[in-house]
Amino acid sequence: MRNVICGRCVKCGREYEAVPNLTNCACGGILDIIYDYDYIKSHFTKQTLAERNNPTMWRYRELLPVEPDTPDTPLRVGWSPLYEADRLAKQLGIAKLWIKDDGLNPTASLKDRASAMAVAKAKEAGADVIACSSTGNAASSLAGNAAAAGLKTFIFVPSRAPKGKVAQLMTFGATVISVQGSYEDTFELSKQAIDKWGWYNRNAAINPYLSEGKKTVGLEIMEQLSWQVPDYIAISVGDGCTIAGLWKGLKDLYAIGFIDRLPRLISAQAEGCHPINRAIETGEPWYPMEENTLADSIAVGVPRNADKALMAIRESDGLVVNVTDEEIMAAQKLLGTTCGVFGEPAGVTGAAGLKKLCEQGRIPKDAKVVSVVTGNGLKDVANAIKACGEPISIPSDMDRLLEAFAQRNIHPEA
Ligand SMILES: *Cc1c(COP(=O)(O)O)cnc(C)c1O
Ligand SMILES: [Zn+2]
């Protein structure tokens, strides 16, 4: 990989050769992939990119840590739509809002970006089996992307994982271990099993390439905005890998001169589980927190990418905001009704956080904001119904229909 220099520990600075099965530093710190930006700059221009007919995350290959001859992974990951949300912007009292709907990835979450990267690196490593532990989406995306590439998967999920995600896992043919315990318990068991059997490791806590896959969401947002930098980007945070990846992508673009400034990040977590935001609020190191929220994908009490996430929030002069489950459910309904976008609870937590910050007057009226929806609502229909209600249920009878409309104060006249 001529574009990559090494993997460097974010804690102690020690450097490692960027081999495909790179893991953590000897000190326990997670590695950051370091690029040769001068080399990249001389081979990669906005023009090259504009002429490239590849609507997937692999269109940014020059900025990704893969060998030139490593094939694109089979599923169409990335290039999700960036919608202008003018009506919602008005409602929130900001100048401009875009919704990046990453729930439209092949397995319906942003995690596909990391899983596609894991599959590419596993292929480079010559591995036949990949494993991970996950709150749900990393698992289903790994299972799907691996199935498409002909790799076997062992997946560890906490038993609370919603049915939609488990259904995906079973459909993609993964060997699924549902662990009776917290995400932390799940992670520990997966770690022991991976050590024992030597599977390729897709845990974002350990594999430094995953946030490189996730950074493509930032690359795309900027290309889709024609390199016009927004003031803020709001995103939900659990383990911390996603926000760190987003920031890495933005910094890459800044380093090669594609953008001339950087946005501020908005880190949105659940009131019931916000160890990363708490560390920013208090200025103290992070420490574990209970996992008490319906937004299962971000119910991460022991974030494994806290170091990278905290750095990203601080470097970007970012804002942190914690939202209650009620605020998350309200955002689900708000995005659905104003944008036609259906997000899972963790998927809309960024938007819920943005709404709260707007109401608190912490976002200037002239702000231009992107909100990333990280996962699709169909993964967890039980919570969607809880958030948005039940339909009118009547027999096939016109009188009953009129009655129901009258009761609910619905005016059917066009
Ligand atoms: C994983 C996930 C997140 C958070 O990403 P982290 O890397 O864990 O911070 C947010 N939303 C959804 C839908 C997810 O699956
Ligand atoms: Zn180290």
Side-chain angles (χ1 to χ4, degrees):
M1 293 185 288
R2 181 59 188 81
N3 59 339
V4 170
I5 297 172
C6 64
R8 183 184 294 156
C9 177
V10 299
K11 269 204 171 127
C12 76
R14 189 163 156 189
E15 296 185 349
Y16 294 83
E17 187 191 341
V19 294
N21 55 1
L22 199 57
T23 59
N24 278 351
C25 178
C27 84
I30 193 154
L31 304 184
D32 183 29
I33 303 298
I34 306 295
Y35 293 87
D36 182 346
Y37 291 119
D38 287 333
Y39 174 80
I40 294 168
K41 254 195 213 163
S42 65
H43 285 74
F44 192 45
T45 63
K46 290 181 185 175
Q47 186 65 22
T48 329
L49 192 56
E51 286 164 5
R52 193 164 283 171
N53 181 21
N54 182 356
T56 77
M57 62 182 259
W58 298 110
R59 68 190 278 102
Y60 305 106
R61 196 170 257 275
E62 284 85 347
L63 286 168
L64 295 175
V66 287
E67 298 292 348
D69 59 353
T70 301
D72 288 8
T73 49
L75 295 181
R76 194 238 56 197
V77 175
W79 207 250
S80 62
L82 183 76
Y83 297 125
E84 285 188 63
D86 293 344
R87 231 167 310 120
L88 184 52
K90 197 174 238 175
Q91 213 168 313
L92 297 180
I94 51 177
K96 198 79 199 161
L97 176 65
W98 294 269
I99 302 294
K100 175 74 169 164
D101 188 2
D102 242 46
L104 293 185
N105 274 301
T107 78
S109 81
L110 188 149
K111 295 288 193 300
D112 279 336
R113 299 176 186 274
S115 292
M117 179 58 70
V119 164
K121 297 309 284 183
K123 288 267 176 183
E124 285 182 5
D128 303 317
V129 182
I130 313 189
C132 78
S133 70
S134 157
T135 54
N137 283 333
S140 55
S141 80
L142 177 62
N145 281 277
L151 298 172
K152 281 211 303 195
T153 47
F154 285 86
I155 306 283
F156 297 78
V157 287
S159 52
R160 63 156 198 253
K163 275 263 175 341
K165 298 179 186 181
V166 176
Q168 285 183 301
L169 289 172
M170 303 316 291
T171 303
F172 296 138
T175 302
V176 184
I177 300 96
S178 173
V179 179
Q180 295 150 11
S182 67
Y183 176 59
E184 174 66 4
D185 301 328
T186 310
F187 181 85
E188 279 308 320
L189 182 61
S190 79
K191 192 159 165 284
Q192 289 174 37
I194 288 168
D195 285 348
K196 184 169 172 64
W197 287 292
W199 303 323
Y200 190 83
N201 192 335
R202 186 249 179 261
N203 279 329
I206 286 171
N207 186 325
Y209 295 116
L210 301 182
S211 57
E212 301 301 313
K214 287 184 174 181
K215 83 182 177 187
T216 57
V217 73
L219 305 179
E220 273 175 31
I221 289 171
M222 290 318 314
E223 189 183 1
Q224 289 170 321
L225 288 177
S226 306
W227 316 107
Q228 299 301 304
V229 183
D231 300 303
Y232 298 88
I233 301 182
I235 197 157
S236 54
V237 174
D239 180 64
C241 176
T242 304
I243 194 168
L246 169 63
W247 184 238
K248 179 74 176 283
L250 297 165
K251 282 205 304 181
D252 279 357
L253 294 175
Y254 186 74
I256 61 170
F258 279 29
I259 56 176
D260 56 9
R261 66 188 185 98
L262 289 160
R264 296 174 71 181
L265 300 177
I266 295 174
S267 164
Q269 292 205 285
E271 190 64 55
C273 188
H274 60 276
I276 289 178
N277 283 356
R278 180 174 60 187
I280 297 282
E281 288 159 354
T282 62
E284 284 172 17
W286 75 270
Y287 56 96
M289 198 162 183
E290 272 182 53
E291 297 172 356
N292 194 5
T293 169
L294 63 73
D296 62 289
S297 306
I298 53 167
V300 183
V302 183
R304 300 282 175 168
N305 270 280
D307 289 338
K308 276 189 180 178
L310 290 168
M311 234 185 294
I313 299 165
R314 291 195 172 113
E315 273 180 22
S316 84
D317 191 20
L319 300 175
V320 299
V321 57
N322 306 315
V323 288
T324 62
D325 283 357
E326 288 67 36
E327 288 165 334
I328 291 171
M329 289 194 284
Q332 223 176 350
K333 190 162 184 179
L334 185 66
L335 276 179
T337 52
T338 60
C339 303
V341 169
F342 186 13
E344 67 167 279
V348 304
T349 299
L354 173 64
K355 178 167 184 280
K356 191 164 188 171
L357 290 173
C358 289
E359 286 163 1
Q360 293 172 344
R362 290 170 68 193
I363 305 290
K365 300 252 174 283
D366 61 355
K368 297 177 176 174
V369 186
V370 173
S371 181
V372 183
V373 172
T374 48
N376 195 290
L378 285 174
K379 285 173 174 276
D380 182 2
V381 288
N383 272 318
I385 294 280
K386 210 165 125 192
C388 304
E390 298 279 353
I392 297 166
S393 173
I394 50 166
S396 173
D397 178 338
M398 196 59 191
D399 289 338
R400 297 290 292 277
L401 184 61
L402 293 175
E403 199 180 292
F405 281 172
Q407 267 170 11
R408 290 171 178 74
N409 206 18
I410 294 169
H411 304 287
E413 305 82 17

